[in-house]
Coordinates of all heavy atoms in Angstrom, one line a residue:
H1 N 18.3 10.0 5.0 CA 16.9 9.7 5.3 C 16.3 8.7 4.3 O 15.1 8.4 4.4 CB 16.1 10.9 5.4 CG 16.5 11.9 6.5 ND1 16.8 11.4 7.8 CD2 16.7 13.2 6.5 CE1 17.1 12.5 8.5 NE2 17.1 13.6 7.8
F2 N 17.1 8.2 3.4 CA 16.5 7.3 2.4 C 16.0 6.0 3.0 O 14.9 5.5 2.6 CB 17.5 7.0 1.2 CG 16.9 6.0 0.3 CD1 15.9 6.4 -0.6 CD2 17.4 4.7 0.3 CE1 15.4 5.4 -1.5 CE2 16.9 3.8 -0.6 CZ 15.8 4.1 -1.5
P3 N 16.7 5.3 3.9 CA 16.1 4.1 4.5 C 14.7 4.4 5.1 O 13.8 3.6 5.0 CB 17.1 3.7 5.6 CG 18.4 4.3 5.1 CD 18.1 5.6 4.4
N4 N 14.6 5.6 5.7 CA 13.2 5.9 6.3 C 12.2 6.1 5.2 O 11.1 5.7 5.3 CB 13.4 7.1 7.2 CG 12.0 7.5 7.8 OD1 11.4 8.5 7.5 ND2 11.6 6.7 8.7
A5 N 12.7 6.8 4.1 CA 11.8 7.0 2.9 C 11.4 5.7 2.3 O 10.2 5.5 1.9 CB 12.5 7.9 1.9
A6 N 12.3 4.8 2.3 CA 12.0 3.4 1.7 C 11.0 2.7 2.6 O 10.1 2.0 2.0 CB 13.3 2.6 1.6
S7 N 11.1 2.9 3.9 CA 10.1 2.2 4.8 C 8.7 2.8 4.6 O 7.7 2.1 4.5 CB 10.6 2.4 6.2 OG 11.8 1.7 6.4
I8 N 8.7 4.2 4.5 CA 7.4 4.9 4.4 C 6.8 4.5 3.0 O 5.6 4.3 2.9 CB 7.6 6.4 4.5 CG1 8.0 6.7 5.9 CG2 6.3 7.1 4.1 CD1 8.4 8.1 6.1
N9 N 7.6 4.5 2.0 CA 7.2 4.1 0.7 C 6.6 2.7 0.7 O 5.6 2.4 0.1 CB 8.3 4.1 -0.3 CG 7.8 3.9 -1.8 OD1 6.9 4.5 -2.2 ND2 8.5 3.0 -2.5
G10 N 7.2 1.8 1.5 CA 6.7 0.4 1.7 C 5.4 0.4 2.4 O 4.5 -0.3 2.1
V11 N 5.2 1.3 3.4 CA 3.9 1.4 4.1 C 2.8 1.8 3.1 O 1.8 1.2 3.1 CB 4.0 2.5 5.3 CG1 2.6 2.8 5.8 CG2 4.9 2.0 6.4
A12 N 3.1 2.9 2.4 CA 2.1 3.3 1.4 C 1.8 2.3 0.4 O 0.6 2.0 0.0 CB 2.6 4.6 0.7
W13 N 2.8 1.6 -0.1 CA 2.6 0.6 -1.2 C 1.8 -0.6 -0.6 O 0.9 -1.1 -1.2 CB 4.0 0.1 -1.7 CG 3.9 -0.7 -2.9 CD1 3.6 -2.1 -3.0 CD2 4.1 -0.3 -4.2 NE1 3.6 -2.5 -4.3 CE2 3.9 -1.4 -5.1 CE3 4.4 1.0 -4.8 CZ2 4.0 -1.3 -6.5 CZ3 4.5 1.1 -6.2 CH2 4.3 0.0 -7.0
R14 N 2.2 -1.0 0.6 CA 1.5 -2.2 1.2 C 0.1 -1.8 1.7 O -0.8 -2.7 1.6 CB 2.3 -2.8 2.3 CG 3.6 -3.4 1.8 CD 3.3 -4.4 0.7 NE 4.5 -5.1 0.3 CZ 4.5 -6.2 -0.6 NH1 3.4 -6.6 -1.1 NH2 5.7 -6.8 -0.9
L15 N -0.1 -0.6 2.1 CA -1.5 -0.2 2.5 C -2.4 -0.3 1.2 O -3.5 -0.7 1.3 CB -1.5 1.2 3.1 CG -2.9 1.7 3.5 CD1 -3.5 0.8 4.5 CD2 -2.7 3.1 4.1
S16 N -1.8 0.1 0.1 CA -2.6 0.0 -1.2 C -2.8 -1.4 -1.5 O -3.9 -1.8 -2.1 CB -1.8 0.7 -2.3 OG -0.6 0.0 -2.7
D17 N -1.9 -2.3 -1.2 CA -2.1 -3.7 -1.4 C -3.2 -4.3 -0.5 O -3.8 -5.3 -0.9 CB -0.8 -4.5 -1.2 CG 0.2 -4.4 -2.3 OD1 -0.2 -3.9 -3.4 OD2 1.4 -4.7 -2.1
V18 N -3.4 -3.7 0.6 CA -4.5 -4.1 1.5 C -5.8 -3.6 1.0 O -6.8 -4.3 0.8 CB -4.3 -3.6 2.9 CG1 -5.5 -3.9 3.8 CG2 -3.0 -4.3 3.5
L19 N -5.9 -2.3 0.7 CA -7.1 -1.6 0.3 C -7.6 -2.1 -1.1 O -8.8 -2.2 -1.4 CB -7.0 -0.1 0.3 CG -6.7 0.5 1.7 CD1 -6.5 2.0 1.6 CD2 -7.8 0.1 2.7
G20 N -6.6 -2.3 -2.0 CA -7.0 -2.6 -3.4 C -7.8 -3.9 -3.5 O -8.9 -3.8 -4.1
P21 N -7.4 -5.0 -2.9 CA -8.2 -6.2 -3.0 C -9.6 -6.1 -2.3 O -10.6 -6.6 -2.8 CB -7.4 -7.3 -2.4 CG -6.0 -6.8 -2.4 CD -6.1 -5.3 -2.3
I22 N -9.6 -5.4 -1.2 CA -10.9 -5.2 -0.5 C -11.8 -4.4 -1.3 O -13.0 -4.7 -1.5 CB -10.6 -4.5 0.9 CG1 -9.8 -5.4 1.8 CG2 -11.9 -4.1 1.5 CD1 -9.4 -4.8 3.1
V23 N -11.3 -3.3 -2.0 CA -12.1 -2.5 -2.9 C -12.6 -3.4 -4.0 O -13.8 -3.3 -4.4 CB -11.3 -1.3 -3.4 CG1 -12.0 -0.6 -4.6 CG2 -11.1 -0.3 -2.3
A24 N -11.7 -4.2 -4.6 CA -12.1 -5.0 -5.7 C -13.2 -6.0 -5.3 O -14.2 -6.2 -6.0 CB -10.9 -5.8 -6.3
G25 N -13.0 -6.7 -4.1 CA -13.9 -7.6 -3.7 C -15.3 -7.0 -3.4 O -16.4 -7.5 -3.7
G26 N -15.3 -5.7 -2.9 CA -16.5 -5.0 -2.6 C -17.3 -4.7 -3.9 O -18.5 -4.9 -4.0
F27 N -16.5 -4.2 -4.9 CA -17.2 -3.9 -6.2 C -17.7 -5.2 -6.9 O -18.8 -5.2 -7.4 CB -16.1 -3.2 -7.1 CG -16.0 -1.8 -6.9 CD1 -14.7 -1.2 -6.7 CD2 -17.1 -0.9 -7.0 CE1 -14.6 0.1 -6.5 CE2 -16.9 0.5 -6.8 CZ -15.7 1.0 -6.5
I28 N -16.9 -6.3 -6.8 CA -17.3 -7.5 -7.5 C -18.6 -8.0 -6.8 O -19.5 -8.5 -7.5 CB -16.2 -8.6 -7.4 CG1 -15.0 -8.1 -8.3 CG2 -16.7 -9.9 -7.9 CD1 -13.8 -8.9 -8.1
A29 N -18.7 -7.9 -5.5 CA -19.8 -8.4 -4.8 C -21.1 -7.6 -5.0 O -22.2 -8.0 -4.6 CB -19.5 -8.6 -3.3

């Protein structure tokens, strides 16, 4: 099940990459 775990880890990691800049932009503004 590691390939599936790697994909899910990628989902979580990339979702954080989406939310992080939006959070940063909101705070800066």
Side-chain angles (χ1 to χ4, degrees):
H1 295 316
F2 176 72
N4 181 250
S7 297
I8 294 171
N9 188 48
V11 171
W13 192 277
R14 291 308 186 173
L15 181 56
S16 69
D17 283 345
V18 173
L19 296 178
I22 292 175
V23 169
F27 277 126
I28 293 169

